[in-house]
Amino acid sequence: MNLKGFMAIQDNQGVAKTDTMLQLGIKGWSIKENIGKTDSQVIGVGRFVADGFVSSKRVSGDIPLEPTMLEISELLKGSGYIGTEDTPNKKITFKASDSFSKYITFALSYLADDLKEVTKDCLVNSLKFGFNKESYIDLSASILGMELSKSAGKLEPTLTTNNGKRLTCLGIIIKKDDSEITANIESADLNLTNGLEAKGALNKTTTRKITQNAKGTVSISLKYNSFDKEEYLKADRLLSSNGNTSLEIMLGEDVEESEVKKASAKKLVIKLPNVKYTNNTVEDLNGQGALNQELTAYPDSEGQPIIFEFYNM
């Protein structure tokens, strides 16, 4: 189908924003109403259920993307992160806040069918980054929304300028404890969860509130392209001593490492200052061997498990 996906940060909760929107680089779209039905429990009415009604319409779904830096920064706003701009250094730093104050409108336009779906008052429940060789960077955003409306007609918002390139694996630089390990990594995954839950009300079928009912988590997995004895033993020592390390993932628009490292480069630097190993295993024992590591990020001295720094946007 010929589809376009959009998002916009709302000015106010309860009011969808569709006049100016950012077009997303979507690979799919599964935001929908999940219908709950309640059947009557009355007995003595024969061999069939007597009646029933639609008792809930909860809006949720995933949006898989090949993101630009701007798309990542906008999704972070709906994930409970606040950006602080450092104009002289052309840097915007996103850190986790204590609340979720920015709601998003997501919209899907069916171009050939003259139809649109608009979901308002959305928050991002999780962000999952996939970094794989020979690939564009994957980002899957899991969404909870308050209300989805469907209507005929074209969706023709004024588009926010999305002038960035779609990020690829060639612009990635990964550091562990300030030592670059990119050449040894075949793939990596970074997962952020917010522990959100949609809440209803006695006399409404739609979601009335989205609240945090569990602690948020940040985790990362690293798959090495061969067995690395030094990394294996180092991780084993830290596992045994409950020690911590640090990780940094740099995502640049350029595909040359020397260009990505320049101060003038357009890039995103993801910092995990306090991570601990949770798994450290050798695999592919019948071949040349491989190393898989899993780590969990915990808050640093400033209460931040992860920090996003955007440069030269």
Side-chain angles (χ1 to χ4, degrees), residues 39-108:
D39 289 331
S40 171
Q41 301 298 308
V42 168
I43 61 175
V45 291
R47 52 193 284 260
F48 297 102
V49 174
D51 200 358
F53 70 99
V54 172
S55 53
S56 66
K57 295 193 291 185
R58 299 283 187 263
V59 180
S60 64
D62 296 332
I63 304 176
L65 308 160
E66 289 176 357
T68 63
M69 286 172 54
L70 180 59
E71 291 168 16
I72 295 173
S73 68
E74 291 298 283
L75 288 167
L76 284 173
K77 294 176 184 177
S79 303
Y81 290 78
I82 294 178
T84 302
E85 190 166 358
D86 180 357
T87 304
N89 293 313
K90 298 181 180 179
K91 180 174 76 168
I92 304 174
T93 302
F94 278 83
K95 296 183 178 181
S97 65
D98 292 329
S99 62
F100 297 83
S101 59
K102 296 291 185 182
Y103 288 86
I104 303 176
T105 297
F106 288 99
L108 184 65

Side-chain angles (χ1 to χ4, degrees), residues 6-20:
F6 304 90
M7 68 168 288
I9 303 299
Q10 295 176 192
D11 297 320
N12 298 290
Q13 184 180 353
V15 182
K17 183 176 177 63
T18 58
D19 54 347
T20 302

Side-chain angles (χ1 to χ4, degrees), residues 191-246:
N191 297 328
L192 289 73
T193 67
N194 286 326
L196 300 180
E197 182 181 6
K199 295 287 190 177
L202 188 63
N203 62 345
K204 300 292 182 182
T205 59
T206 56
T207 296
R208 310 314 297 169
K209 291 182 179 180
I210 301 174
T211 61
Q212 185 173 8
N213 75 330
K215 296 290 187 182
T217 62
V218 179
S219 60
I220 187 167
S221 63
L222 300 171
K223 182 178 181 179
Y224 288 72
N225 51 24
S226 63
F227 178 62
D228 189 318
K229 183 183 76 172
E230 296 301 323
E231 283 292 338
Y232 181 60
L233 293 176
K234 181 179 179 181
D236 185 66
R237 289 192 294 270
L238 289 173
L239 266 171
S240 300
S241 64
N242 194 34
N244 68 316
T245 184
S246 63

Side-chain angles (χ1 to χ4, degrees), residues 175-176 220 222 245-249 270-272 275 295:
K175 294 181 180 180
K176 187 191 291 182
I220 187 167
L222 300 171
T245 184
S246 63
L247 282 171
E248 179 180 291
I249 304 171
I270 304 172
K271 295 182 175 181
L272 301 98
V275 295
L295 305 98

